Amino acid sequence: MTMIYLDHNATTPPADAVRAAMLSALSDCWANASSQHGPGQNARRAMGAARGAVARALGCKPAEIIFTSGATESNHLAVRGLLAAAAAGRGRVVFSSVEHAGHLRLARALRKQGVPVDLIAVRADGTLDVDAAVALMGPDLALISLMAANNETGALMPVAQVAALAHAAGALLHVDATQFIGKQPFSFAHFGADAVSLSAHKIHGPKGVGALLLRQGIALEPQIMGSQERGRRGGTENLAGIAGLAAALDLLGGADGIAAEAARLGTLRDALERGLARALPDAVHVWAQNAPRLPGTSYLRFGCLSADVVLNRLERLGVAASTGAACASGSSAPSHVLDAMGVPPQEALAAVRFSLGRGTTAQDVQYLLDALPPLLAPLLDEEAQAARQRQTAAAIA
Ligand code: PMP
């Protein structure tokens, strides 16, 4: 049975061209790019070429790129690095309440260290409550850290609006664009943020490499000391990873390629949601369905069937999906994103995420629509019957 992979928000398979670019870097450019000898110069040239390609694909200047080990590190570097370099009297940081779990751990660690941290609430549809953001502005604010698109719901956040708010307050905006880049057209020059995190493995690149884009002229305290990346991130460069990231960005095909793929995925995602709702009437609830959201993400529940039960049935069908964030799955705690949206725990524990991507076909969606509802319908009937029995018992008591 070939597997149908519907977990592209967790990670994506490296593309052939990415593997080729990495192998070539590993075999031909293995020297240290800081070395003076010929092989070192060769590696340095390859680094320059990759940096130029990344800059072209992301609409930034080569000097605005700091290569890192991925989005988690980029997020940490942005928040800790910008905070440490902020003017005296600007010591407060604002995050959204639905940031990636790793990033919210950083928020908690900062609080523990005595840094004032506030969280911006989200609405029931998963989008940012902009009025709540307005209320958190102030002269003590150093920066806002906000994701561009949520990894669980796919909800898109109003980056330009929040950038205007931050800048009017004299603060900076860092955006975690890990789920956004590659799925929506992006140009750093026009995005509005001062710093942007991204990760290669969400766009068919390798794991363990990403970047922080930092607008020229903005001060940042390095968090890993060393001479590389203009002193902003030490450590011998991961040239193979960086070449892989450049190749992955190139494969997106620019704004036109991204827009075309987004339209294709939007059609498939809508067909999936409509088909499931038709096959299992009244049982399917999709979160953020009417919010602006990523085209390939569908975050839903089937009645209150436990997500583990649904994932088990999907596994039997050869379909890989997830309960939400891969890093949080395995834990049976309800998603912090759904909690922030006001979803009760028994509904949140039923959350299943399908994230479609480049490999997803109309046949895959049709297979799921044909195979999954017959497996879930009897379980939903049992659930409804149990609910009726509970109601009857309550009425008698
Ligand atoms: N931010 C978001 C929104 C993500 O989805 C992820 C990956 N799940 C990360 C950060 C972490 O990225 P990385 O694995 O590159 O550290």
Side-chain angles (χ1 to χ4, degrees):
M1 183 163 59
T2 54
M3 198 203 36
I4 294 178
Y5 184 75
L6 298 179
D7 201 13
H8 290 81
N9 288 11
T11 196
T12 54
D16 290 345
V18 166
R19 279 199 291 268
M22 293 181 75
L23 275 176
S24 152
L26 283 171
S27 16
D28 305 334
C29 307
W30 49 265
N32 191 322
S34 300
S35 299
Q36 291 309 310
H37 45 61
Q41 287 172 22
N42 188 31
R44 196 149 59 249
R45 266 195 303 275
M47 268 294 296
R51 194 184 299 279
V54 171
R56 278 192 299 283
L58 296 175
C60 66
K61 297 177 185 136
E64 290 176 321
I65 302 168
I66 305 168
F67 288 116
T68 66
S69 66
T72 304
E73 184 191 330
S74 297
N75 286 346
H76 276 59
L77 173 59
V79 171
R80 283 200 185 276
L82 293 173
L83 183 62
R90 286 197 182 270
R92 187 164 57 96
V93 188
V94 164
F95 295 77
S96 89
S97 53
V98 295
E99 293 305 300
H100 192 256
H103 207 39
L104 287 178
R105 280 186 188 221
L106 172 64
R108 285 196 290 276
L110 288 172
R111 250 189 201 152
K112 232 172 151 178
Q113 289 167 5
V115 175
V117 170
D118 289 309
L119 299 182
I120 312 173
V122 293
R123 303 195 194 96
D125 68 354
T127 57
L128 196 78
D129 182 342
V130 179
D131 293 336
V134 171
L136 291 172
M137 297 303 103
D140 61 332
L141 185 63
L143 85 142
I144 301 176
S145 188
L146 173 70
M147 58 188 4
N150 186 266
N151 45 306
E152 294 184 28
T153 60
L156 298 171
M157 303 298 170
V159 169
Q161 223 178 334
V162 176
L165 282 180
H167 294 155
L172 297 172
L173 173 65
H174 160 251
V175 171
D176 175 358
T178 306
Q179 293 291 347
F180 185 92
I181 286 175
K183 301 186 180 110
Q184 300 279 277
F186 171 86
S187 162
F188 186 53
H190 300 111
F191 201 50
D194 302 292
V196 167
S197 301
L198 63 125
S199 182
H201 74 94
K202 307 288 185 181
I203 55 166
H204 300 273
K207 285 150 195 67
V209 63
L212 179 69
L213 310 183
L214 180 68
R215 205 151 55 75
Q216 229 167 9
I218 294 186
L220 175 99
E221 277 293 324
Q223 302 299 304
I224 299 177
M225 315 300 165
S227 59
Q228 292 83 1
E229 301 300 290
R230 299 170 174 246
R232 297 172 299 185
R233 199 276 190 182
T236 303
E237 298 88 344
N238 170 11
L239 181 52
I242 291 165
L245 169 61
L249 284 166
D250 189 48
L251 283 175
L252 296 173
D256 290 347
I258 292 169
E261 177 64 357
R264 188 185 79 86
L265 289 179
T267 305
L268 290 182
R269 193 264 322 267
D270 291 347
L272 174 66
E273 290 180 353
R274 266 200 306 272
L276 289 173
R278 208 175 299 133
L280 300 166
D282 302 324
V284 180
H285 177 83
V286 182
W287 286 290
Q289 191 165 28
N290 298 315
R293 60 178 170 147
L294 292 174
T297 303
S298 186
Y299 199 31
L300 46 77
R301 64 179 167 83
F302 300 94
C304 281
L305 288 184
S306 147
D308 291 338
V309 170
V310 178
L311 288 184
N312 168 280
R313 299 306 186 276
L314 285 166
E315 188 79 42
R316 281 192 216 165
L317 297 174
V319 175
S322 83
T323 55
C327 332
S329 56
S331 77
S332 55
S335 141
H336 71 279
V337 174
L338 292 175
D339 182 52
M341 290 161 61
V343 175
Q346 72 273 20
E347 291 180 11
L349 289 171
V352 173
R353 181 186 68 187
F354 295 109
S355 47
L356 287 54
R358 205 179 292 167
T360 312
T361 63
Q363 288 74 26
D364 295 340
V365 170
Q366 194 54 53
Y367 168 73
L368 189 58
L369 288 176
D370 291 340
L372 185 62
L375 290 187
L376 297 187
L379 301 174
L380 286 163
D381 285 345
E382 271 172 44
E383 186 186 65
Q385 203 178 342
R388 276 195 299 275
Q389 276 165 2
R390 274 196 306 275
Q391 264 172 5
T392 313
I396 294 169

